[in-house]
């Protein structure tokens, strides 16, 4: 890994809810510089530019054609991810996108192929897996603290994002649902911890035909639900380890750990994969206590966007850790779970990916 002399110039397409999290992280990323923003709704881009000196508000086409922009950060809704990524690639830009890589794996495959053909690096959220929480768990597994990994459980239960998101429609359309919305955090984490997935078996349900928006100008409006809202299944990793997944927008909460990993000689409690930090606890065979492990790996005090820093400091011929290929494999796994749920059959996963290298414990530094 070697740092570029100049930071990578980033243009954001999509100035909605999540951009705020990225804007908070950017000052900590010395290899990344925000230069421009765009949105179909120009007033949203104007508002971001007005609050961030040096950042220009452009139309989407202007941003794609802008010589200063080297990487397009795609923060649009899932249905627009592929189209925006393809436009950026054809304009010769690197791309880093919010999850999922695309609304479906067919579109995602087209994005991967276009980036490969153009020789342009493609990165994709989630980058929470690069924080100290998941990375410390990963190092514990690599260091043999649980022996041979046998299984994991991953549980996400919530009553639904329409309670807080002012425009939650996309969560209940194809490309949304608890699996495609929250699953990327869990499936990417399981891939980082236990490696790629060889096959899956799933089951799913769908309780209500509409949801009611709970906040903002559209509060009280009913929106249609055309996705499964409770999805469960088993991932058979290439290593032979088995992960059990529960993703739900239909229930209330869980008190169990979000993720547990069990090995022959120890069990690990892994922190929330939708966050960057959190304690990792180990219960070793023969011990009666859970022990909190010292933080040993990952980007310290990271936030959304650290995956772009990781991409920027990765040698050009090396895959970034939050890679398009890993995101594609995660999407393939999630779609295959839904296919399995609908067919009742186990599904073999055709794609695979590299298990990214562990992130050494790395302090982020504010650019001078
Ligand atoms: N909201 C969250 O808490 C959250 C958390 C993590 C990740 N994400 C992901 O971030 C992405 C965006 O989510 P959000 O909550 O910010 O959505 P949002 O609807 O609040 O914002 C999306 C923005 O993209 C713009 N847009 C849509 N299509 C476009 C196009 N073709 N060209 C240009 N602009 C376009 C919209 O006008 C809107 O301003 C999604 O992929 C979501 O899964 C959201």
């Amino acid at each position: 890994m070697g740092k570029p002399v100049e930071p990578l110039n980033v243009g954001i397409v999509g100035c909605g809810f999540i951009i705020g999290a990225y804007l908070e992280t950017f000052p900590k990323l010395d290899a990344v510089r925000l230069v421009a923003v765009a949105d179909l709704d120009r007033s949203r881009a104007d508002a971001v530019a007005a609050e961030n000196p040096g950042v220009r508000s452009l139309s989407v086409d202007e941003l794609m054609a802008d010589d200063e922009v080297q990487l397009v950060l795609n923060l649009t809704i899932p249905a627009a991810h592929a189209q925006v990524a393809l436009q950026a690639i054809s304009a010769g830009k690197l791309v880093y996108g919010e999850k999922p890589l695309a609304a479906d794996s067919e579109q995602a495959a087209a994005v991967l192929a276009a980036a490969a053909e153009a020789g342009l690096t493609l990165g994709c959220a989630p980058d929470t897996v690069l924080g100290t929480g998941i990375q410390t768990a990963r190092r514990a597994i690599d260091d043999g603290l649980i022996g041979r990994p046998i299984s994991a459980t991953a549980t996400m239960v919530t009553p639904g994002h329409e309670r807080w998101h002012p425009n939650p429609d996309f969560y209940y359309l194809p490309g949304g649902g608890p699996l495609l919305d929250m699953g990327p955090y869990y499936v990417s984490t399981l891939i980082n911890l236990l490696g790629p997935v060889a096959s899956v078996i799933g089951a799913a349900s769908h309780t209500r035909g509409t949801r009611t928006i709970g906040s903002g100008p559209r509060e009280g409006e009913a929106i249609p639900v055309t996705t499964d809202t409770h999805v469960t299944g088993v991932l058979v990793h290439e290593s032979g380890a088995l992960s059990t997944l529960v993703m739900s927008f239909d229930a209330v909460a869980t008190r169990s750990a979000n993720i547990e990993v069990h090995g022959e000689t120890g069990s690990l409690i892994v922190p929330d994969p939708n966050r960057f930090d959190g304690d990792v606890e180990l219960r070793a065979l023969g011990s009666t206590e859970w022990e909190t492990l010292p933080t040993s790996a990952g980007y310290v005090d990271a936030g959304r966007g650290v995956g772009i820093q990781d991409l920027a400091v990765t040698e050009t011929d090396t895959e970034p850790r939050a890679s398009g290929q890993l995101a594609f494999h995660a999407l393939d796994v999630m779609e295959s779970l839904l296919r399995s749920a609908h067919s009742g059959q186990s599904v073999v996963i055709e794609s695979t990916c590299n298990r990214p290298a562990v992130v050494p414990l790395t302090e982020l530094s504010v650019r001078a």
Side-chain angles (χ1 to χ4, degrees):
M1 301 231 293
K3 281 192 178 175
V5 179
E6 281 296 314
L8 194 63
N9 288 330
V10 172
I12 297 180
V13 179
C15 303
F17 190 94
I18 201 60
I19 194 173
Y22 283 84
L23 294 174
E24 265 179 41
T25 314
F26 277 157
K28 292 189 211 169
L29 308 180
D30 62 3
V32 177
R33 174 166 54 205
L34 180 62
V35 296
V37 287
D39 195 292
L40 283 182
D41 178 345
R42 185 63 180 261
S43 68
R44 295 186 183 179
D46 290 346
V48 173
E51 288 191 3
N52 291 275
V55 174
R56 291 170 293 139
S57 168
L58 302 174
S59 71
V60 175
D61 287 346
E62 285 167 347
L63 187 144
M64 296 291 182
D66 194 89
D67 286 340
E68 200 185 12
V69 173
Q70 297 168 288
L71 178 141
V72 169
L73 172 55
N74 184 359
L75 303 184
T76 60
I77 54 171
H81 284 179
Q83 176 234 314
V84 170
L86 288 171
Q87 191 182 352
I89 291 164
S90 66
K93 312 294 187 199
L94 311 177
V95 177
Y96 183 94
E98 251 306 336
K99 49 76 190 167
L101 181 57
D104 62 46
S105 59
E106 200 179 321
Q107 292 178 34
V111 174
L112 269 190
E117 196 179 334
L120 293 166
T121 304
L122 179 67
C124 188
D127 50 8
T128 46
V129 291
L130 307 182
T132 51
I134 305 303
Q135 289 294 320
T136 294
R138 164 65 187 273
R139 175 147 280 168
I141 294 172
D142 287 8
D143 287 351
L145 299 191
I146 63 167
R148 184 160 64 106
I150 302 299
S151 69
T153 57
T155 309
M156 192 290 303
V157 174
T158 161
H161 295 340
E162 75 282 8
R163 293 164 64 86
W164 57 270
H165 197 295
N167 294 300
D169 312 65
F170 71 87
Y171 290 121
Y172 295 100
L173 299 174
L179 183 64
L180 285 174
D181 175 50
M182 296 301 288
Y185 299 106
Y186 291 79
V187 174
S188 301
T189 296
L190 292 169
I191 292 169
N192 269 273
L193 296 179
L194 299 174
V197 177
S199 66
V200 295
I201 185 145
S205 61
H206 171 168
T207 52
R208 281 170 276 160
T210 61
R211 296 272 170 152
T212 305
I213 299 178
S215 69
R218 297 169 63 202
E219 185 175 350
E221 183 183 327
I223 56 170
V225 176
T226 54
T227 53
D228 290 315
T229 46
H230 185 97
V231 183
T232 182
V234 174
L235 317 185
V236 181
H237 294 266
E238 288 176 11
S239 68
L242 304 177
S243 292
T244 305
L245 197 69
V246 177
M247 298 282 123
S248 186
F249 281 170
D250 281 337
V252 179
T254 174
R255 268 184 83 173
S256 62
N258 297 82
I259 297 182
E260 290 185 3
V261 182
H262 306 287
E264 282 180 319
T265 60
S267 288
L268 280 181
I269 293 179
V270 179
D272 184 347
N274 190 17
R275 295 184 40 155
F276 289 84
D277 54 8
D279 286 340
V280 178
E281 293 178 69
L282 169 70
R283 172 104 170 246
L285 184 64
S287 170
T288 53
E289 306 284 330
W290 289 94
E291 134 193 34
T292 301
L293 297 179
T295 299
S296 62
Y299 288 104
V300 178
D301 288 332
R304 287 180 206 276
V306 76
I308 310 168
Q309 170 87 5
D310 190 73
L311 182 154
V313 299
T314 300
E315 299 295 347
T316 39
D317 55 354
T318 310
E319 247 183 8
R321 289 185 178 82
S323 70
Q325 183 63 42
L326 192 150
F328 178 74
H329 182 56
L331 182 58
D332 191 9
V333 167
M334 294 185 289
E335 275 188 356
S336 300
L337 261 179
L338 293 174
R339 273 210 305 284
S340 170
H342 296 147
S343 68
Q345 305 290 315
S346 167
V347 173
V348 172
I349 308 294
E350 302 292 342
S351 67
T352 189
C353 68
N354 294 319
R355 183 174 177 241
V358 70
V359 180
L361 194 61
T362 307
E363 296 281 348
L364 295 167
S365 52
V366 176
R367 185 163 8 101

